[in-house]
Amino acid sequence: MRVTVISPNSAPLVEPPQLDRCSGLSYPGWVPRCVVGAPAPGGLLLPPAQPTESWLYAPRGVVLGDDRLVVADSGNHRVMIWNAVPCGDGEPADVILGQPDPHTEGPAAGGRGPANGMHLPTGVVLDGDRLIVADAWHHRLLVWDRMPTRTATPPDYVIGQPDSTSVEPNSGHDPTASTFYWPFGIALIDGHFYVADTGNRRVLIWHDGVPEPGQAADVVLGQPDAGAREENRGGDVAADSFRWPHAFAATGAGGVLIADAGNHRILRWDTHPIADRPADAVLGQPDFTTGTEFPYVPQVGRLRFPYAIASSATGTGTELAIADTANNRVLLQHDCAHADKLSPYLALAQPNLVGNGENRWDQVAADTLCWPYGLDWRGDLLAVADSGNNRVVLWERS
């Protein structure tokens, strides 16, 4: 693999070069539309020491709105907002949250404090004109009641901590139904608000949308009670347990899919859980009691750390996109509301359903991936947070 590395102390490129749209491989109906973040021409490219409005460092969460793109620029401890969905490579963000300006990096607004900043933001959700951010390593959610229009706009309130300066896991106590430990993923599905409370190895569910501060979850899924936090409920892998829950997608038929990344699987509930209960189906493992990674065998029918999922309604049902992170690909599968096994029809960024190399063990191109970590799917656009390549790629179905 040929790797071109630019020192992090080097000056950023003023005009990032355009990438080739595709490196010669065919994904029927899909092409990369544009790349935001590192252009990575021909090899991995480290971000500059001083961030800019156009560069990303290990982005994780991504969400598409009707007229905007929002990205959790996790390595720079900030969230980037584009007021229009980008159409060209390297377009700069319009608004930056979590840092005082476009050039500051570091946790808690470069040391200015948690009231002004973030620590490894990961999940992002749009609820109408509201913005919710999972500030994972501050163990809280941040809520803006109206979409911010200025850089460094503080959130209107926090969820999971008693105030804007507290950042201890579980608010410094044992877990409750209103505290978090590494809340990596969030989603609003059919009016239900889901939080992947990853460090507590559980999922919290509120049935009436985004909760108020201090409001206890209606459901604690994956643990016997609100005070428990052992992985896989302190026992073996099961249909009602998690190791690292991480992301959510709608089934399109009144249910939910949950990516249990640490057990290398996706669990499906055919209806939104109203109490702790086992999943109805599992994808990526042969049964509910297997959670093993198999890195040295062909990866057909297998997953390795699926950190993100997204779904989209089509004329024939609801399709599922899976960020199969450690296999460096995004899998597309038909009819996720009824499938009882992993059976993708396409692997974006790999030549087939067996390949799993970082950037296909070749040069970086617009259609290669290195540790995809976040997904959102809206209409004909699929946004992929290509974390290892320090960028977001917008794939378009033509």
Side-chain angles (χ1 to χ4, degrees):
M1 177 175 64
R2 187 177 70 189
V3 178
T4 302
V5 177
I6 292 181
S7 165
N9 296 317
S10 300
L13 300 175
V14 177
E15 294 184 1
Q18 298 287 304
L19 283 168
D20 290 339
R21 292 298 86 205
C22 186
S23 57
L25 298 178
S26 175
Y27 315 98
W30 287 94
V31 293
R33 169 171 139 175
C34 67
V35 176
V36 294
L44 299 178
L45 192 67
L46 297 180
Q50 186 178 78
T52 73
E53 301 95 327
S54 302
W55 288 74
L56 301 169
Y57 183 20
R60 293 192 173 186
V62 59
V63 63
L64 284 163
D66 291 330
D67 55 357
R68 59 173 55 94
L69 172 71
V70 183
V71 176
D73 185 16
S74 306
N76 284 320
H77 308 284
R78 63 185 186 175
V79 167
M80 313 274 278
I81 302 172
W82 284 258
N83 289 333
V85 177
C87 292
D89 293 350
E91 290 187 19
D94 299 291
V95 178
I96 296 171
L97 304 176
Q99 298 291 359
D101 55 62
H103 309 297
T104 299
E105 55 85 30
R112 292 166 176 81
N116 301 301
M118 306 174 187
H119 196 175
L120 204 78
T122 307
V124 284
V125 160
L126 296 176
D127 178 20
D129 199 40
R130 285 205 295 178
L131 172 66
I132 304 97
V133 173
D135 187 14
W137 280 18
H138 280 156
H139 314 288
R140 64 185 184 176
L141 309 183
L142 307 177
V143 181
W144 286 260
D145 282 328
R146 295 184 64 84
M147 182 60 59
T149 59
R150 291 179 177 272
T151 288
T153 300
D156 293 296
Y157 59 94
V158 303
I159 298 170
Q161 296 286 4
D163 52 58
S164 62
T165 60
S166 299
V167 295
E168 290 298 310
N170 290 310
S171 298
H173 306 285
D174 291 334
T176 71
S178 60
T179 66
F180 307 122
Y181 196 131
W182 296 334
F184 282 120
I186 52 178
L188 189 60
I189 300 173
D190 302 331
H192 303 269
F193 187 68
Y194 285 82
V195 176
D197 189 16
T198 308
N200 286 324
R201 282 85 173 185
R202 66 185 186 178
V203 168
L204 300 181
I205 309 170
W206 287 263
H207 293 316
D208 296 321
V210 180
E212 298 295 325
Q215 180 182 345
D218 297 301
V219 180
V220 177
L221 190 66
Q223 294 289 2
D225 57 65
R229 59 178 306 267
E230 294 296 317
E231 70 176 48
N232 291 312
R233 303 172 85 102
D236 296 331
V237 180
D240 61 354
S241 75
F242 299 109
R243 187 178 177 214
W244 301 338
H246 226 277
F248 309 93
T251 65
V256 64
L257 296 129
I258 301 178
D260 181 16
N263 284 323
H264 313 286
R265 66 183 185 174
I266 295 166
L267 297 174
R268 188 183 75 228
W269 281 259
D270 291 335
T271 59
H272 293 284
I274 59 173
D276 180 46
R277 70 173 182 86
D280 297 298
V282 59
L283 310 180
Q285 294 287 6
D287 51 53
F288 284 117
T289 60
T290 304
T292 308
E293 179 189 11
F294 297 94
Y296 304 116
V297 300
Q299 294 300 301
V300 177
R302 299 188 184 279
L303 299 171
R304 294 176 60 217
F305 299 104
Y307 280 120
I309 52 178
S311 60
S312 179
T314 68
T316 58
T318 300
E319 290 191 58
L320 178 65
I322 303 166
D324 188 13
T325 304
N327 283 326
N328 304 292
R329 62 188 183 179
V330 172
L331 302 175
L332 303 184
Q333 176 160 337
H334 292 303
D335 195 17
C336 62
H338 303 102
D340 58 3
K341 65 178 181 179
L342 184 68
S343 54
Y345 66 90
L346 202 65
L348 298 181
Q350 296 294 346
N352 49 48
L353 294 172
V354 177
N356 68 339
E358 295 179 4
N359 295 306
R360 294 194 296 270
W361 307 126
D362 204 343
Q363 300 183 66
V364 178
D367 67 333
T368 69
L369 292 172
C370 179
W371 284 73
Y373 211 104
L375 295 175
D376 196 31
W377 196 348
R378 179 175 287 263
D380 293 326
L381 279 184
L382 177 64
V384 180
D386 186 13
S387 184
N389 287 325
N390 302 312
R391 64 185 187 175
V392 169
V393 181
L394 296 183
W395 287 75
E396 187 168 27
R397 177 155 52 187
S398 59

